[in-house]
Amino acid sequence: MSGVSFKSALKGLMAGAALAAFGVGAGAGTVSAQETYKIGVVTFLSGQAAESFGVPAWDGGRLLIEKLNAGEVPAPYDTVGFGGMQIEAIPIDEAGGATKQVQEFRNLVQRENVDAVVGYVSSGDCLAIAPVADELQALTILYDCGTPRVFEDGQYEYAFRTAAHATMDNVSMARYLKARGVDVDSIAGLNQDYAWGHDSWRDFTAAMDQLYPEAEVVAELFPAFGAGQYGTEISALMRERADVVHSSNWGGDLQSFILQSMPRGLFQRSQVVLSAGDHVIPALGNNFPEGVVLGARGAYGLMSPDTPLNNWWFDTYQERYGVIPVQAPYRMAQAILGLKSAIEKAMAANGGERPTKDEIRMALKGHEWESPGGLIQMKLGNGHQAIQPTAIGTTAKDENGNITVTDIERFAAECVNPPPGQNSVDWINAGFPGAKCE
């Protein structure tokens, strides 16, 4: 957990509430409401998703906000705050389910009077929040959540997702296996029993059917989210001896699956592919198995690009927290930078005045901006859904015995994301028409 204990993180949260949301912007002096831009930041701060995902995401968010308020972020983000406005952040725990999150969202908008909400890891929460954002006309940046359904099944004016959905993860995983010449005759899957898990497995098997049409699905396992114990499922996977075992598990579920599978030899018997697996490397360290094909839901962490912006972000995060940044802080950072970019784009268009939420949402629609993980383009969902480049690699030990990622393959955004106006699974089943692969 990003170099600090969870107890320490919670103490920090309580202290921060008394110091204007962690004292973000401290040292800038007292600012008026006109000079402050207030955001609610929602992510898991408790529960099994907190240690490896939610807390690192907020760690990244508060670090970036601090640096933006101080004007210490490299170009093109070297202006102070959001167009000169100091950023004030109110962190909210995402734990508790969709009904609770809808009420928390209403509180942020109607009681806290935030200017925007940035948040949500759970696909179920994103599906619940998006229509409420339109109901309240509240600018909302979905920084994560993987299901393609948000903007494929719905249309929204005030909700935006600044990261690619899970179709990218699973198409790139299948393309990686093909590019590396992996023989696959049989496939099995273990995925969580809700929208994220079912959508991930659907997209992976559909992509594999295009690239490995002779491969047979021999097991489809859907344990409950938060199950924690996988003995029965691991026994089934061991019995089937599939060439490839796919899992989109994340958080504590993924850690448990890995730790319970290792002593039983699953990673030796099958090629395990983890579409979102990089985020548990800091927690597991050198207990993470070698030879796992790994996704990070983007070109993040050990697979991030060598650019000035990314090198600054990677080093700054690691120096502050003592661990490398993985997918959660990267996705939080690209959401905040996207909001900054849209605000400043709107200000440039209106003569430098503080933009309205409608001016900001129109600036963000179809927008693109640089992030530590590469170029983000709002090309899907009528300009409300991002696509981005990604990377897949294989875990190995370096010369010092530390876990790293090797054999990295990079995929252009338009190679592994559907074109505008196309449903993800229909695009895959049609053979990826319009894909632009280098």
Side-chain angles (χ1 to χ4, degrees), residues 87-341:
I87 308 162
E88 178 185 347
I90 301 173
I92 299 292
D93 190 355
E94 192 179 343
T99 300
K100 180 175 182 290
Q101 288 313 309
V102 167
Q103 185 57 52
E104 293 280 14
F105 180 85
R106 291 184 181 278
N107 289 341
L108 283 169
V109 175
Q110 297 174 322
R111 295 183 183 179
E112 298 288 350
N113 296 313
V114 299
D115 295 295
V117 176
V118 177
Y120 307 103
V121 177
S122 166
S123 293
D125 291 341
C126 282
L127 289 166
I129 291 296
V132 184
D134 269 21
E135 175 196 335
L136 300 181
Q137 297 186 351
L139 183 60
T140 302
I141 311 298
L142 308 176
Y143 88 94
D144 188 57
C145 70
T147 179
R149 300 181 198 180
V150 179
F151 294 105
E152 289 190 349
D153 293 354
Q155 294 185 5
Y156 305 102
E157 293 300 321
Y158 289 86
F160 296 82
R161 180 162 46 188
T162 54
H165 54 57
T167 295
M168 176 187 76
D169 310 326
N170 294 287
V171 170
S172 60
M173 186 65 73
R175 287 196 182 280
Y176 180 88
L177 294 173
K178 195 69 175 178
R180 304 302 298 182
V182 179
D183 293 328
V184 184
D185 293 320
S186 56
I187 309 166
L190 183 145
N191 295 276
Q192 294 150 320
D193 191 13
Y194 74 115
W196 160 259
H198 284 274
D199 292 349
S200 295
W201 177 241
R202 177 202 65 189
D203 288 350
F204 179 71
T205 52
M208 291 295 284
D209 191 51
Q210 294 297 319
L211 299 175
Y212 291 92
E214 303 302 318
E216 178 187 4
V217 174
V218 296
E220 298 178 296
L221 306 172
F222 293 100
F225 177 78
Q229 296 298 319
Y230 298 100
T232 300
E233 289 83 1
I234 294 168
S235 294
L237 294 174
M238 295 290 289
R239 183 172 60 250
E240 294 296 342
R241 296 176 176 268
D243 293 324
V244 168
V245 172
H246 167 278
S247 181
S248 63
N249 274 22
W250 60 280
D253 281 352
L254 179 56
Q255 290 190 51
S256 296
F257 174 60
I258 290 172
L259 292 173
Q260 293 166 32
S261 298
M262 287 180 67
R264 299 186 62 179
L266 179 63
F267 294 96
Q268 288 71 45
R269 180 164 292 190
S270 299
Q271 175 61 71
V272 177
V273 301
L274 303 176
S275 63
D278 85 306
H279 68 286
V280 298
I281 288 178
L284 294 180
N286 292 334
N287 290 321
F288 199 98
E290 296 181 76
V292 175
V293 174
L294 191 75
R297 308 215 58 225
Y300 302 145
L302 294 171
M303 295 180 283
S304 57
D306 182 11
T307 64
L309 180 61
N310 178 61
N311 294 339
W312 172 85
W313 173 243
F314 192 101
D315 293 344
T316 301
Y317 187 97
Q318 187 173 37
E319 180 180 351
R320 173 66 60 89
Y321 299 114
V323 294
I324 63 170
V326 285
Q327 63 182 271
Y330 269 89
R331 289 195 153 212
M332 181 65 76
Q334 72 191 40
I336 293 171
L337 293 177
L339 180 56
K340 174 182 172 67
S341 180

